[in-house]
């Protein structure tokens, strides 16, 4: 056709700079590359980099948890992109907000439905110690119901605090630190559900 592109650059190499010498980053010379590690450390690294939280927001801290997954803070950078709607597909429970006595058996049932290994983050003062609700209706810390790995203070904690707590949980998983003991199994107590069944 013979039509020249009018937007084609006139010159592809600068006059005042010497062109870069192409370097080979990896030379294939037949030698085998060796990577040594422990299988358990590799598995723990994979688990820490792909945590799937279950959506379990109880009160005002849940708004901060939701904003952590928004584009400004983007918890998906750390591998927790999808909040699962089913506890059978999740391995992290973020208890965000105050937990009432009536909600405690439901919280425990959702925790029991999660597959092993599983972790719990207690987000906010209400979930960690009851907060300002020092009364008969609120559980004074969800660590009386489920084993909590990381406590995040604040009322409400900011999304940056949740990301910091999430990074601390990832460090704990990578270092192989075990979960705390289960409070119900250690005490031998049972929760009674809303329809009278023991959990």
């Amino acid at each position: 056709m013979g039509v020249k592109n009018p937007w084609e650059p006139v010159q592809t190499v600068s006059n005042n700079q010497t062109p870069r010498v192409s370097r080979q980053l990896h030379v294939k010379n037949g030698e085998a590359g060796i990577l040594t590690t422990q299988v358990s450390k590799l598995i723990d690294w994979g688990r820490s980099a792909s945590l799937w939280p279950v959506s379990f927001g109880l009160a005002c801290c849940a708004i901060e948890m939701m904003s952590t997954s928004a584009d400004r803070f983007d918890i998906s950078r750390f591998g927790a992109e999808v909040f699962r709607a089913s506890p059978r597909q999740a391995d992290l429970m973020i208890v965000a907000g105050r937990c009432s006595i009536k909600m405690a058996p439901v919280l425990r049932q959702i925790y029991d439905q999660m597959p092993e290994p599983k972790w719990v983050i207690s987000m906010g003062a209400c979930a960690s110690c009851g907060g300002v609700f020092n009364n008969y209706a609120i559980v004074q810390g969800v660590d009386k119901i489920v084993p909590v790995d990381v406590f995040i203070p604040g009322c409400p904690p900011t999304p940056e605090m949740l990301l910091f707590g999430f990074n601390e949980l990832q460090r704990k998983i990578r270092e192989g630190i075990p979960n705390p003991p289960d409070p119900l199994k250690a005490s031998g107590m049972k929760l009674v559900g809303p329809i009278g069944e023991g959990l």
Side-chain angles (χ1 to χ4, degrees), residues 127-149:
S128 300
C129 64
V132 298
F133 302 102
N134 188 9
N135 57 31
Y136 65 92
I138 302 298
V139 176
Q140 301 299 305
V142 293
D143 55 337
K144 294 176 174 54
I145 304 166
V146 292
V148 177
D149 295 282

Side-chain angles (χ1 to χ4, degrees), residues 139-189:
V139 176
Q140 301 299 305
V142 293
D143 55 337
K144 294 176 174 54
I145 304 166
V146 292
V148 177
D149 295 282
V150 175
F151 291 92
I152 301 173
C155 182
T158 60
E160 292 93 348
M161 293 171 72
L162 178 58
L163 289 178
F164 179 76
F166 189 79
N167 286 336
E168 286 298 304
L169 179 64
Q170 286 182 318
R171 181 188 59 78
K172 181 178 179 180
I173 295 169
R174 284 191 200 110
E175 293 178 2
I177 299 172
N179 293 352
D182 194 336
L184 292 186
K185 289 182 182 173
S187 64
M189 297 175 65

Side-chain angles (χ1 to χ4, degrees), residues 90-101:
D91 53 5
L92 170 63
M93 175 186 277
I94 303 174
V95 182
R98 59 190 180 272
C99 180
S100 64
I101 299 289

Side-chain angles (χ1 to χ4, degrees), residues 3-195:
V3 178
K4 187 176 178 185
N5 183 3
W7 304 107
E8 186 178 0
V10 179
Q11 185 174 341
T12 56
V13 180
S14 175
N15 287 334
N16 56 7
Q17 289 182 349
T18 57
R20 294 185 179 179
V21 179
S22 61
R23 293 186 306 162
Q24 289 184 345
L25 297 178
H26 177 68
V27 180
K28 294 184 179 180
N29 55 4
E31 295 179 5
I34 297 174
L35 176 66
T36 59
T37 186
Q38 297 173 349
V39 175
S40 60
K41 291 193 179 205
L42 188 64
I43 291 172
D44 289 341
W45 171 81
R47 283 178 177 157
S48 70
S50 63
L51 290 169
W52 285 3
V54 63
S55 2
F56 196 75
L58 293 173
C60 39
C61 286
I63 302 297
E64 302 296 322
M65 181 180 69
M66 288 180 230
S67 66
T68 308
S69 63
D71 55 354
R72 182 174 177 189
F73 301 101
D74 196 15
I75 200 171
S76 63
R77 293 176 292 157
F78 304 101
E81 185 158 1
V82 183
F83 278 79
R84 308 309 298 179
S86 168
R88 287 171 173 61
Q89 298 174 352
D91 53 5
L92 170 63
M93 175 186 277
I94 303 174
V95 182
R98 59 190 180 272
C99 180
S100 64
I101 299 289
K102 196 179 244 186
M103 195 65 181
V106 179
L107 173 79
R108 181 63 196 206
Q109 184 177 13
I110 290 174
Y111 175 79
D112 288 337
Q113 288 175 349
M114 291 167 58
E116 291 286 344
K118 53 191 169 185
W119 299 273
V120 177
I121 292 178
S122 175
M123 181 180 177
C126 294
S128 300
C129 64
V132 298
F133 302 102
N134 188 9
N135 57 31
Y136 65 92
I138 302 298
V139 176
Q140 301 299 305
V142 293
D143 55 337
K144 294 176 174 54
I145 304 166
V146 292
V148 177
D149 295 282
V150 175
F151 291 92
I152 301 173
C155 182
T158 60
E160 292 93 348
M161 293 171 72
L162 178 58
L163 289 178
F164 179 76
F166 189 79
N167 286 336
E168 286 298 304
L169 179 64
Q170 286 182 318
R171 181 188 59 78
K172 181 178 179 180
I173 295 169
R174 284 191 200 110
E175 293 178 2
I177 299 172
N179 293 352
D182 194 336
L184 292 186
K185 289 182 182 173
S187 64
M189 297 175 65
K190 287 189 176 181
L191 284 176
V192 178
I195 54 174

